[in-house]
Amino acid sequence: WNEVYSYMEIPSKVAPDLDRVLKDTRVDSVQRGINLPEAFTGKDVYIGITDWGFDYTHPMFYDTLLQTSRIAAAWDQYRSFGSQPSSFPYGVEFTTPSELLAAGSDTANIYSYNTHGTHVAGIAGGSGAGLAYRGMAFESEFLFCTFLIDAASVIDGFNWMHEKAQQNGKRLVINMSWGLTYMGTLDGNSLLSQAIADLADQGVVFVAS
């Protein structure tokens, strides 16, 4: 004879649970140095975020005491009025806390206003701002590049970040959470791929979503 089974489930309410991420990914053990030569919290590392939508004033980008901004520099390639980076004659570069506070955020473009880049950077290295939602490398410093939507400008962004890291003796990790699929071929021969390979050979770590 055949049995018929019924199943019913009441869905739970949607709620933020990013406070569990560090434990679920075991990053909490890395931050404490468990079974490692030392604790790793991002200290002496620059995290370069190539993206759009940065809020330079967000509390996540300050230290854990909310006293000092951890944004080492930002380059807004869309902006027209202000100081350009020394090696790249376009956009505007911000290199001091006062400049970043005065700017407030990067230029709104087709990828919206001060949201996505802030979100990505917070996950990578947010300090927690006194909350439970701390990022992976909470003692790192940031380099933000709001780049034009083409391969040449993002390669400039990579090289700008590398220059900053070299000048200040920092390790560099560059993040790319774009969701773009049309920047050259996918066989490793595109200009973007060649630039990534060249910088990776020089010790830069690349992370892509």
Side-chain angles (χ1 to χ4, degrees):
W1 56 284
N2 295 324
E3 294 184 9
V4 177
Y5 294 93
S6 297
Y7 175 80
M8 178 181 293
E9 178 180 356
I10 299 174
S12 58
K13 292 182 179 180
V14 176
D17 60 0
L18 282 175
D19 55 322
R20 296 172 47 190
V21 170
L22 297 181
K23 183 177 180 180
D24 289 350
T25 58
R26 299 186 180 181
V27 171
D28 59 335
S29 297
V30 175
Q31 291 177 345
R32 294 198 297 269
I34 296 176
N35 295 323
L36 295 169
E38 60 183 288
F40 292 94
T41 59
K43 190 174 182 179
D44 296 324
V45 175
Y46 277 167
I47 297 180
I49 308 290
T50 53
D51 215 302
W52 313 271
F54 295 106
D55 177 359
Y56 303 142
T57 69
H58 200 288
M60 279 287 183
F61 304 145
Y62 283 75
D63 61 11
T64 54
L65 298 177
L66 300 179
Q67 299 292 317
T68 305
S69 173
R70 293 185 295 121
I71 304 174
W75 180 19
D76 184 347
Q77 295 181 355
Y78 286 87
R79 199 173 292 241
S80 302
F81 301 102
S83 299
Q84 298 172 341
S86 58
S87 301
F88 305 95
Y90 67 102
V92 173
E93 180 185 60
F94 307 107
T95 58
T96 67
S98 59
E99 290 175 347
L100 290 160
L101 285 174
S105 64
D106 60 353
T107 304
N109 57 67
I110 60 173
Y111 287 94
S112 80
Y113 179 73
N114 70 19
T115 54
H116 190 264
T118 299
H119 164 77
V120 170
I123 293 172
S127 67
L131 303 174
Y133 306 105
R134 192 157 70 176
M136 302 292 174
F138 60 90
E139 287 193 308
S140 61
E141 294 178 76
F142 294 104
L143 298 170
F144 293 155
C145 180
T146 305
F147 69 97
L148 306 177
I149 318 298
D150 60 66
S153 60
V154 77
I155 291 172
D156 282 351
F158 293 162
N159 287 316
W160 171 78
M161 291 173 173
H162 189 232
E163 283 186 7
K164 293 292 185 187
Q166 292 289 99
Q167 290 167 2
N168 295 289
K170 304 286 187 179
R171 292 292 306 275
L172 176 62
V173 178
I174 295 178
N175 185 81
M176 305 170 287
S177 293
W178 313 332
L180 300 179
T181 59
Y182 56 83
M183 282 198 180
T185 62
L186 300 178
D187 59 3
N189 292 315
S190 70
L191 292 176
L192 188 64
S193 294
Q194 291 180 55
I196 290 171
D198 178 60
L199 288 170
D201 287 342
Q202 298 178 63
V204 179
V205 175
F206 285 86
V207 179
S209 64

